[in-house]
Amino acid sequence: MCLCAVSVQTRGEGAAAAHVLRAGAAPRLRGCGQQVPTATAGSPGQPRLLLPFAPDPDPVPVPAPPRDASGSSERWQRIRALPGGRPVPRPVATRLRHPPSRCGGPGGGPAPGELRRLPLPRHPRRREAGVRRPPPRAAHHPAGPLHPHPRRRGAAHRLGALPLRLAGHHLAVRASRRGGGSGGLRAEVRGRGWRRRAGASRPAAPLLDPPGQDPPPRRAPPRPLLLREAVGQPRAQPPHPGRRYGAGGGGGALRHPPAARRVPAAASLPGPPARRQAGGGRRGGLCRPQPHAGDAAAAAGPPGQQVHRPPGLQPWALVGILGGDQGSTAEEKRDYHGNGTTGLAVARRDFLTYDGTRFTVTAFSGWIKGVPHNGFKVEVSKGIILHLVDEVTSWLPGDRIVVASTDYSMHQAEEFNLLPCPECKSNQVKIDGSPLYLHIGEVIDGVDMRAEVGLLTRNILIQGEMEDSCYGQNQCQFFSFDTFGGHIKILRNFRSVHMSGVELKNMGQQILGSYPVHFHLAEDVDERGGYERPTYLDNLSIHHCFSRCVAIHGTHGLLVKDTIGYDTLGHCFFLEDGTEQRNTFYHNLGLLTRSGTILPSDRNEAMCLAIRSHVYGNYVPVPSTDCMAVSTFWIANPNNNLIENAAAGAQDVGIWYIFHRVPTGQSEGQYPEGQAEHTPLGVFYNNRVHSNFKAGLFIGKGVKTMRASAEDPREYLTVDNARFRPHQDADPEKPRVPAVIDGLIAFKNNDHGAWARGGDIIFRNSGFSDNGIGLTLASDGTFPTDEGSSLEVTRSVFVGESSNFGSQGGQNSYWGKGANGEYRTLPRNKTFPIRGFQIYDGPVRMAKCTFKKFTPTVDRYSSAIGFFMKNSWQISPQNNVSQILMEKSVGLKVFFGRSGEWFGNNDNDGDKMSVFHDLDGSVTGYPDTFIGRADNYLLRHPGCLTVPRWNGVMCTGKFAQLYIQARRPENLTLSIARAAYHSHPLRLQGVNRGAPYQQYQPVVMLEQAYIIRWDGRAPEDVILYPINFNRGDWLRVALCYPREAVFQVVADIYQRRTGTVHSVKHYLAAASRASALNGTGQRLFFFDRASGYLFVHLQAHEARKGHSYCSQQGCERIKITAHMYPGDSWSCDPNPFPQRPVSAQRPVSQHLAGGCQVCGAPQLAITSTPSVKYVRIQIQSLSRADVQNRSTSAFIKVNDTVFLFDSRGIFFLVLDACSGAVVSRWHFDTVTGENAASAVADYVLTVIKERSLVLVCSRDIAEVVGSSEMSVFTRLGSAKPIVFHKEGSFAMLGYKGQAKPSWIKVLNHAGYQKAASLQHYVPLRLKEYQCPADADESLKFAFSQNRWEHISAEPAAPRD
């Protein structure tokens, strides 16, 4: 379906929307009423829909309307904010500018007597569109009354320049088949009291060209892009350009990091102390109050010139540069008048940073009716230019964009209008206004955190007309604004639907089935459904809407591409019943996804508790488990494709794979129970999730598929339990099919970067940064519900606290000190224990991963590897790690928790049993080592090493699990101890309180003796499963019973999939304990009535494969049935086994691992552009003060190669921008004087070649004598000449070449400032470098070199 442009509005009381849709694969309009021939289906040469991996064909040329003086054809108003902080769109009339009239009557409208009909062009197969509506009301047009006319086949309405007004309750456009065919398209826009306006200011370009027509230059689709350079406020200063600071007397200093010069800005209102207000501008570190305003002025004046503080009550303002000349100071004074009103003294000065940003500092001071007013203002001059990754020449002045948050709060997304920018490059735009928040535009610590930028403006606008506030039965208890918008519904049997270049605003309703774009039970819409041009939605902008973005219901094979969903209610990209398959979401952006009311999973806490009309009886929902799941991508069937999408901020989850045990809604009965949970995953590649509260990616859970009842009073479709177990053909009897999550980037999610529950899920090539918990792998799990599946993460990067410090505001709740002492935004809570990789259940595996910046603080723990807190479930000893790289910035590698906040008592069964296996020693330093909790004596032996900071212990040995089921009673606490440490028993509560049986799953050391007791009389039925036992592994077990008990002991093999039992063998009573435990293969037990212990030998006789808990024949087990009499005593001795010295397994201390050359992620950076290679640059300069304080050497680090500088001066290191190879390095021992400037200029201009990355570092810069301005640095990308500071420091990341990349950075610090330091990931072989084709081989060579080098005049001590 294509939408055509015509303006419509309603008239008359109670009139609903009249709308115009264009149906079928009919000719598209060109200009005014003209038609473009289109090939019929199946005709030779007709283009086919291209897959998202291939470039789109060029469009049909469309004449653009003339623009106004600003270059914009449309003006958009800002949305207004209602109470509660939610931005809500206001109804805005679209301003259209049309070309000179070429059609019809005066002004371009239809001449009197012409056909007044909607555009209904012919179709080659005689399929025509008709307008059906209720009895006609008056329809008005500026050229005269519009009367209904009989339909004339083949007639096309010629659109006029003025709006067409239609009135009526409902209009529907239908395309029906001639000749008795059935079906057709039915696209509906329904509404009450809303208006949809479609303006053709810039006609949409079709995706496919008509055959035989040369493709013209096309306008690039307004796809969501990525920032190349951070925008918004620096971390500490100034926080909010454009805002005013201060209201009282005093002075301050502004610092702009790129300029590295102090900018005093003084505003004084001297007078009686009672009238003076100190500190007029400390906010965000912008201003620093002075004891007297004159102090700042004196410092700011020219050398040798004293600037005196004005006397009396005289207002005074000054802006200058410390140490600057007289021309650098702006000053104004006002005389004080007795009436108490003076007007404002205003001092204003413009500044230019080294990176080319111009900003204005204004100081103001004055009296108004006896009240002092003074302060400072900092604002960017002439707009801010955004540097984007891709070309955006099609984005025009007046267009509106949204820049996504790159912090924890999704509410830091910001909208801007574009300004004319003749100086912008093809990948740059200029925005109107200043960002309130920091938006990152670079790769930080190896993870791509560049903000997405989406264009909201489209050629065709469809919008609802909204009331000023909520009304009627529209859930007004939750929304103060009108939520009754329009909607578009597409039903089955249409001929073709292709929607492109459409903007939808104020669409959707808080009613089931009323969404901005809704495919309703359309079934197969690709080749399987007979469509030669498969159905797609391309390049849509859906924003400020009231119910979802795109709803796909009972529809398969749809392509949703380059579409933005912004500021919407409820799940945004939504699969409804669980049957939807083969749909592809490609390169879409969803952000600011808020809670809605329609489904329980849409609702927030307040909605969940208040909406109870569909629960049974008086049931009160539990919000955290029944609701609170609103997601940007709600994927109800795994067989769908997600490629290069971004979920950039949802109230709960970015991407959620949810599982319907059976189809729901109108799709009931379409597949058997459990099929969705076993369906293999479609393609998941290169997706981004950030700024979400609950999780970036969530795999697991399901929805309740039964109506509310007394047995389960929860509402239908409430969030429920389900687990993902993919198998071939969705058949659990067939082999497993791993689900691959490839290229996930998850950062700044409050709780989880990603959570996966299920079997055989593999994460690879992924990056996790600044999440509360980076990644939790929860295996399908708890025995005996699964055959022993596993999860894995490999080739990935984990960062605890990156250099993305964030910014306050936008509902970021927590702001505190980071590990490096600087303030930053924090996840969840200031005390929340941060974990990179969290182990839950198992088995899970981690290999070839890199960890950075996990360091505890006084407020919180932060560890690279941790465990699920307050865990009642089992932990598998098969959890293992290998080839792990822990960088030096990791202060806590592993942490098992401690009693206190967040961890509770830290004594649940899973807390005590936490364990993993370090296969190669890359974490512990000791290969083949198991790491458990320090107080777990089931694992200990004398050869173990305790690590107090981890609350852990490292042991060698063989470990498995003993799974114990107990019945009659089911509520006992089990005590288990190893005989060698019988005085240190472990007490387990079990995990199934109130269930038909209780289960306990201790981790045990094999070939040892264990003692089991209870806190009451022993259960009548006990079953022992040796799980994770290989053939021949054994345990000796003693169980405490009343001394008069009589036993029946049976061994069998239980096949869980079929529920059958085979190989039943009865145990016989042995004459002695030794004969029962000798391990000869006889099935014997011994009950010692003197001690009250039953002794059995537990051994695995069948082979186990892979990660299965049991053998392929089933699970071996021993069933013990005890017949006991009431009143029997069950007191047992502490240790029934003979006392023997504890023997050590292999001592850990003898097996220290060597260095690992292949550990860590192979990629230097995980980015959304995996084809681009990066080089990691670190520059550390030293000032005179650093040298006097005996700081270490200045250095430049390129990837893992460090160049040390131990002598004074500045140092140049030059890299080839195409390969990353070092091609030149040079040292200048002085930076002052004409000779030094000439030498530096000669080196830069003659030695350094084009297409070079230039790294500059300084150490102990000497006294600055005379003029030291060096203009040659402008050749390396500085916006102005460099003036070195006396005893200061300097660092630069520059480029010599024809281009000026956005990553150029200059730091020029004075002596009192912290030494200049840069860290950056620089992309290689960018198109703008114009690299030769043979650069690939040298690139491979450059990345294979890792080494240390000294550039010094004297020996230097080796570095760590």
Side-chain angles (χ1 to χ4, degrees):
M1 178 180 67
C2 301
L3 294 183
C4 183
V6 68
S7 298
V8 299
Q9 71 181 51
T10 61
R11 289 180 63 87
E13 182 178 350
H19 65 275
V20 180
L21 301 180
R22 189 158 179 227
R28 301 182 183 227
L29 293 179
R30 288 185 64 196
C32 187
Q34 301 178 24
Q35 296 186 5
V36 178
T38 304
T40 59
S43 60
Q46 180 181 2
R48 304 253 333 242
L49 174 66
L50 299 179
L51 293 175
F53 314 101
D56 292 334
D58 294 314
V60 176
V62 182
R67 304 199 164 267
D68 58 20
S70 69
S72 175
S73 65
E74 298 175 341
R75 297 286 185 178
W76 306 106
Q77 302 293 326
R78 268 191 177 272
I79 58 175
R80 63 189 173 95
L82 289 176
R86 185 188 188 281
V88 179
R90 300 186 60 165
V92 179
T94 305
R95 239 176 73 184
L96 307 178
R97 294 193 180 267
H98 296 272
S101 172
R102 295 179 296 170
C103 310
E114 279 193 341
L115 176 67
R116 279 15 176 229
R117 297 292 294 174
L118 305 181
L120 303 171
R122 293 175 294 175
H123 188 274
R125 292 188 177 181
R126 302 178 62 85
R127 297 185 180 90
E128 300 177 358
V131 179
R132 300 185 181 182
R133 52 186 165 183
R137 294 181 173 222
H140 303 279
H141 189 276
L146 178 66
H147 301 285
H149 288 273
R151 179 175 180 79
R152 297 191 306 186
R153 186 178 53 178
H157 177 55
R158 307 171 80 186
L159 297 180
L162 297 178
L164 176 67
R165 291 182 170 90
L166 302 175
H169 288 289
H170 174 96
L171 282 176
V173 177
R174 302 174 183 269
S176 60
R177 299 179 185 271
R178 296 271 181 178
S182 62
L185 174 144
R186 183 169 185 256
E188 300 183 2
V189 182
R190 299 176 183 265
R192 174 168 46 80
W194 64 274
R195 176 168 62 233
R196 191 216 70 175
R197 292 178 179 165
S201 58
R202 293 194 305 277
L207 289 183
L208 301 175
D209 296 319
Q213 189 168 359
D214 293 333
R218 70 169 298 172
R219 170 176 172 169
R223 302 165 63 179
L225 303 177
L226 295 176
L227 278 177
R228 261 196 188 170
E229 184 177 80
V231 298
Q233 298 319 309
R235 186 168 64 253
Q237 54 251 353
H240 297 297
R243 290 190 179 182
R244 295 187 176 189
Y245 302 89
L254 312 177
R255 292 175 183 168
H256 197 285
R261 304 194 70 175
R262 196 172 175 199
V263 184
S268 175
L269 277 175
R275 305 288 298 203
R276 300 191 54 189
Q277 304 174 24
R282 298 198 59 147
R283 186 175 183 182
L286 176 65
C287 304
R288 186 173 67 190
Q290 306 286 336
H292 299 285
D295 297 340
Q305 178 180 351
Q306 180 71 26
V307 181
H308 294 283
R309 173 181 171 186
L313 303 177
Q314 180 179 2
W316 168 72
L318 179 145
V319 177
I321 299 176
L322 289 175
D325 56 19
Q326 187 171 2
S328 67
T329 301
E331 180 182 11
E332 186 178 8
K333 305 173 184 177
R334 290 272 184 149
D335 293 332
Y336 180 78
H337 301 287
N339 60 5
T341 298
T342 63
L344 293 178
V346 179
R348 180 180 293 109
R349 194 181 186 285
D350 294 332
F351 296 91
L352 174 67
T353 66
Y354 285 120
D355 65 2
T357 301
R358 297 183 180 274
F359 67 99
T360 302
V361 179
T362 303
F364 58 92
S365 173
W367 294 91
I368 300 177
K369 296 182 179 181
V371 179
H373 292 268
N374 68 335
F376 313 109
K377 184 178 180 182
V378 182
E379 54 191 346
V380 176
S381 307
K382 301 179 182 179
I384 294 176
I385 292 179
L386 305 186
H387 303 259
L388 305 177
V389 171
D390 297 322
E391 181 178 305
V392 288
T393 54
S394 61
W395 295 15
L396 303 175
D399 286 352
R400 193 155 182 82
I401 65 170
V402 59
V403 181
S405 168
T406 53
D407 208 347
Y408 293 109
S409 174
M410 68 177 182
H411 299 279
Q412 288 191 7
E414 299 186 72
E415 297 179 48
F416 303 97
N417 289 327
L418 299 186
L419 297 175
C421 185
E423 71 272 24
C424 284
K425 299 179 183 178
S426 62
N427 67 326
Q428 296 176 331
V429 293
K430 181 182 287 187
I431 61 174
D432 184 11
S434 298
L436 297 177
Y437 310 108
L438 176 67
H439 299 271
I440 296 298
E442 60 184 279
V443 176
I444 294 182
D445 293 315
V447 177
D448 190 347
M449 300 190 194
R450 293 174 290 182
E452 298 85 3
V453 181
L455 183 67
L456 299 178
T457 307
R458 293 295 188 273
N459 299 325
I460 301 171
L461 171 64
I462 303 175
Q463 73 174 32
E465 181 180 75
M466 310 312 298
E467 302 296 333
D468 291 335
S469 61
C470 188
Y471 64 93
Q473 303 299 315
N474 291 318
Q475 305 289 354
C476 296
Q477 69 270 39
F478 307 116
F479 307 107
S480 58
F481 48 90
D482 184 5
T483 61
F484 199 88
H487 67 105
I488 299 174
K489 179 179 288 187
I490 298 102
L491 306 180
R492 66 169 65 95
N493 295 329
F494 53 80
R495 187 187 181 281
S496 66
V497 172
H498 303 96
M499 186 185 293
S500 178
V502 181
E503 178 181 352
L504 298 110
K505 179 180 178 182
N506 297 348
M507 300 289 282
Q509 303 158 10
Q510 283 295 294
I511 299 172
L512 187 67
S514 298
Y515 315 126
V517 181
H518 180 193
F519 281 83
H520 180 72
L521 302 176
E523 300 178 349
D524 295 315
V525 297
D526 54 2
E527 291 89 345
R528 290 195 187 183
Y531 294 95
E532 294 189 12
R533 292 183 61 206
T535 307
Y536 62 78
L537 304 177
D538 175 58
N539 189 20
L540 306 186
S541 171
I542 304 170
H543 63 94
H544 301 101
C545 290
F546 311 121
S547 181
R548 320 214 183 287
C549 304
V550 176
I552 302 175
H553 182 196
T555 300
H556 323 292
L558 177 67
L559 172 64
V560 182
K561 177 186 176 187
D562 293 333
T563 291
I564 296 174
Y566 165 60
D567 199 357
T568 57
L569 304 181
H571 306 302
C572 181
F573 298 96
F574 175 66
L575 304 184
E576 188 161 342
D577 285 347
T579 60
E580 299 80 14
Q581 300 189 57
R582 304 192 326 280
N583 301 290
T584 296
F585 297 92
Y586 175 72
H587 201 266
N588 303 289
L589 168 64
L591 64 167
L592 208 59
T593 304
R594 306 173 188 268
S595 300
T597 63
I598 296 176
L599 296 179
S601 55
D602 287 317
R603 299 170 191 156
N604 60 24
E605 182 176 4
M607 297 170 182
C608 189
L609 293 172
I611 301 175
R612 297 169 55 191
S613 57
H614 296 290
V615 303
Y616 184 86
N618 296 321
Y619 174 73
V620 178
V622 181
S624 61
T625 56
D626 294 357
C627 307
M628 298 178 66
V630 66
S631 306
T632 301
F633 292 85
W634 182 262
I635 309 300
N637 189 295
N639 186 23
N640 291 279
N641 305 313
L642 274 73
I643 303 167
E644 295 187 10
N645 301 284
Q651 187 65 44
D652 291 308
V653 175
I655 302 173
W656 194 322
Y657 283 92
I658 196 86
F659 302 94
H660 293 230
R661 185 169 295 276
V662 296
T664 57
Q666 298 181 53
S667 301
E668 288 184 5
Q670 291 192 13
Y671 61 68
E673 181 177 354
Q675 178 172 303
E677 296 169 82
H678 294 103
T679 299
L681 186 73
V683 177
F684 186 103
Y685 177 72
N686 204 17
N687 296 289
R688 301 162 55 87
V689 290
H690 62 88
S691 310
N692 303 286
F693 187 82
K694 182 175 288 185
L697 170 66
F698 199 102
I699 303 176
K701 296 287 186 181
V703 295
K704 182 174 178 281
T705 56
M706 303 296 290
R707 305 290 174 176
S709 64
E711 292 75 20
D712 188 345
R714 297 175 301 157
E715 184 177 345
Y716 182 58
L717 298 181
T718 289
V719 178
D720 204 355
N721 288 321
R723 293 180 176 180
F724 183 39
R725 302 183 289 268
H727 286 258
Q728 180 180 327
D729 300 327
D731 184 350
E733 298 299 324
K734 293 185 177 180
R736 293 179 177 276
V737 179
V740 178
I741 305 297
D742 193 357
L744 174 70
I745 294 176
F747 66 92
K748 291 285 184 176
N749 297 286
N750 277 272
D751 198 342
H752 274 84
W755 165 288
R757 161 74 78 182
D760 297 289
I761 303 173
I762 299 174
F763 287 77
R764 67 188 185 197
N765 305 317
S766 297
F768 305 89
S769 181
D770 296 279
N771 304 289
I773 301 166
L775 171 65
T776 293
L777 295 183
S779 181
D780 186 35
T782 300
F783 178 87
T785 59
D786 184 66
E787 307 90 82
S789 59
S790 64
L791 294 92
E792 176 181 320
V793 56
T794 183
R795 302 167 61 93
S796 297
V797 174
F798 294 82
V799 183
E801 294 183 359
S802 76
S803 298
N804 176 0
F805 290 82
S807 49
Q808 286 183 283
Q811 298 189 8
N812 271 344
S813 301
Y814 302 107
W815 177 261
K817 283 188 177 181
N820 63 354
E822 297 191 54
Y823 280 86
R824 61 183 300 122
T825 52
L826 298 169
R828 291 291 298 272
N829 188 289
K830 291 182 180 180
T831 60
F832 184 75
I834 296 171
R835 282 144 287 170
F837 176 60
Q838 178 170 265
I839 299 173
Y840 187 24
D841 295 343
V844 301
R845 303 186 303 279
M846 178 171 58
K848 299 188 75 67
C849 290
T850 299
F851 289 85
K852 310 176 183 181
K853 296 188 174 181
F854 289 91
T855 302
T857 70
V858 295
D859 296 320
R860 63 189 167 275
Y861 297 103
S862 179
S863 63
I865 300 174
F867 298 86
F868 188 81
M869 299 181 299
K870 301 178 182 179
N871 176 25
S872 299
W873 299 89
Q874 62 100 20
I875 294 287
S876 171
Q878 291 193 30
N879 296 328
N880 64 75
V881 301
S882 61
Q883 295 180 305
I884 305 302
L885 174 62
M886 297 281 183
E887 293 195 354
K888 293 181 180 180
S889 57
V890 175
L892 188 60
K893 296 180 180 180
V894 182
F895 189 53
F896 287 86
R898 296 186 188 277
S899 299
E901 187 180 8
W902 299 104
F903 296 98
N905 293 327
N906 200 30
D907 63 350
N908 288 4
D909 291 4
D911 300 331
K912 300 171 183 177
M913 289 292 110
S914 297
V915 65
F916 71 93
H917 188 188
D918 185 2
L919 296 175
D920 59 355
S922 56
V923 172
T924 62
Y926 303 96
D928 193 20
T929 302
F930 287 83
I931 301 91
R933 212 169 83 164
D935 58 357
N936 185 355
Y937 279 82
L938 301 185
L939 311 180
R940 275 185 174 272
H941 58 75
C944 298
L945 293 179
T946 301
V947 188
R949 293 191 69 236
W950 299 0
N951 190 25
V953 61
M954 300 185 297
C955 300
T956 57
K958 295 171 62 179
F959 298 91
Q961 285 172 283
L962 178 61
Y963 174 67
I964 305 169
Q965 282 186 350
R967 294 183 178 88
R968 297 181 296 173
E970 297 82 27
N971 59 352
L972 298 178
T973 297
L974 178 145
S975 172
I976 181 170
R978 201 158 100 237
Y981 294 97
H982 61 87
S983 60
H984 297 279
L986 209 63
R987 294 171 57 85
L988 303 178
Q989 302 293 321
V991 298
N992 282 346
R993 293 286 176 174
Y997 64 89
Q998 187 54 269
Q999 62 180 21
Y1000 316 85
Q1001 300 186 43
V1003 176
V1004 293
M1005 180 181 289
L1006 295 171
E1007 302 178 3
Q1008 300 291 315
Y1010 285 88
I1011 306 162
I1012 296 176
R1013 296 188 291 176
W1014 315 87
D1015 64 348
R1017 196 178 74 166
E1020 296 180 22
D1021 297 318
V1022 174
I1023 306 177
L1024 305 178
Y1025 291 81
I1027 58 176
N1028 293 312
F1029 279 50
N1030 294 320
R1031 177 185 289 171
D1033 290 343
W1034 57 268
L1035 292 179
R1036 293 169 179 167
V1037 181
L1039 299 93
C1040 176
Y1041 283 96
R1043 288 171 170 78
E1044 301 301 322
V1046 178
F1047 299 95
Q1048 180 182 6
V1049 182
V1050 177
D1052 61 26
I1053 298 178
Y1054 173 60
Q1055 182 56 258
R1056 287 169 291 150
R1057 287 199 301 268
T1058 61
T1060 59
V1061 174
H1062 63 91
S1063 303
V1064 178
K1065 297 181 180 179
H1066 290 268
Y1067 273 61
L1068 301 176
S1072 66
R1073 180 184 61 199
S1075 59
L1077 300 179
N1078 62 15
T1080 59
Q1082 292 182 293
R1083 311 279 183 165
L1084 301 174
F1085 72 89
F1086 175 73
F1087 182 56
D1088 184 357
R1089 295 189 183 275
S1091 65
Y1093 281 101
L1094 174 72
F1095 295 89
V1096 294
H1097 183 83
L1098 186 64
Q1099 183 172 354
H1101 298 86
E1102 304 293 340
R1104 181 181 61 88
K1105 292 185 178 180
H1107 295 279
S1108 293
Y1109 291 109
C1110 308
S1111 70
Q1112 290 185 321
Q1113 285 72 31
C1115 291
E1116 300 177 74
R1117 61 184 185 175
I1118 296 178
K1119 299 173 64 177
I1120 303 171
T1121 302
H1123 301 280
M1124 296 171 284
Y1125 299 95
D1128 284 351
S1129 172
W1130 60 83
S1131 176
C1132 297
D1133 297 335
N1135 182 20
F1137 292 96
Q1139 294 284 350
R1140 294 176 181 174
V1142 181
S1143 61
Q1145 303 291 318
R1146 291 179 292 110
V1148 169
S1149 58
Q1150 296 181 5
H1151 298 275
L1152 184 65
C1156 179
Q1157 300 299 319
V1158 294
C1159 289
Q1163 313 94 317
L1164 192 66
I1166 306 293
T1167 75
S1168 293
T1169 52
S1171 61
V1172 177
K1173 300 298 182 183
Y1174 285 79
V1175 59
R1176 180 173 57 192
I1177 302 297
Q1178 184 177 356
I1179 303 174
Q1180 179 61 63
S1181 298
L1182 295 181
S1183 65
R1184 170 65 61 85
D1186 296 318
V1187 174
Q1188 292 173 347
N1189 292 333
R1190 302 181 182 275
S1191 296
T1192 55
S1193 298
F1195 66 89
I1196 295 177
K1197 185 176 182 181
V1198 180
N1199 293 340
D1200 292 323
T1201 301
V1202 179
F1203 300 87
L1204 301 176
F1205 307 117
D1206 299 318
S1207 56
R1208 293 180 179 179
I1210 62 173
F1211 305 87
F1212 284 79
L1213 190 68
V1214 182
L1215 280 67
D1216 179 67
C1218 301
S1219 68
V1222 176
V1223 296
S1224 174
R1225 53 182 184 252
W1226 206 263
H1227 167 228
F1228 297 91
D1229 58 4
T1230 180
V1231 296
T1232 60
E1234 294 183 2
N1235 292 337
S1238 175
V1240 172
D1242 183 65
Y1243 175 72
V1244 170
L1245 296 176
T1246 61
V1247 177
I1248 300 178
K1249 298 180 179 180
E1250 296 287 299
R1251 294 195 296 271
S1252 293
L1253 310 181
V1254 183
L1255 317 180
V1256 187
C1257 176
S1258 74
R1259 187 179 192 275
D1260 192 12
I1261 295 178
E1263 295 282 341
V1264 177
V1265 180
S1267 174
S1268 59
E1269 182 176 283
M1270 292 192 181
S1271 59
V1272 72
F1273 283 94
T1274 60
R1275 187 68 180 85
L1276 303 180
S1278 176
K1280 61 181 182 180
I1282 300 297
V1283 179
F1284 293 105
H1285 291 277
K1286 176 183 178 181
E1287 299 182 356
S1289 58
F1290 177 78
M1292 182 175 185
L1293 172 57
Y1295 178 80
K1296 183 179 179 183
Q1298 299 301 315
K1300 185 178 180 181
S1302 60
W1303 46 257
I1304 292 174
K1305 294 182 181 293
V1306 181
L1307 293 181
N1308 191 14
H1309 287 183
Y1312 60 84
Q1313 291 180 289
K1314 186 178 179 180
S1317 177
L1318 281 176
Q1319 297 185 51
H1320 201 78
Y1321 286 76
V1322 180
L1324 300 176
R1325 285 187 58 83
L1326 290 182
K1327 181 180 178 181
E1328 57 191 297
Y1329 302 166
Q1330 299 180 353
C1331 293
D1334 59 353
D1336 284 334
E1337 290 303 317
S1338 55
L1339 179 64
K1340 294 178 183 178
F1341 174 78
F1343 276 90
S1344 66
Q1345 307 300 304
N1346 297 324
R1347 58 193 179 276
W1348 294 79
E1349 294 191 18
H1350 286 76
I1351 302 177
S1352 60
E1354 55 190 9
R1359 294 174 57 85
D1360 290 339

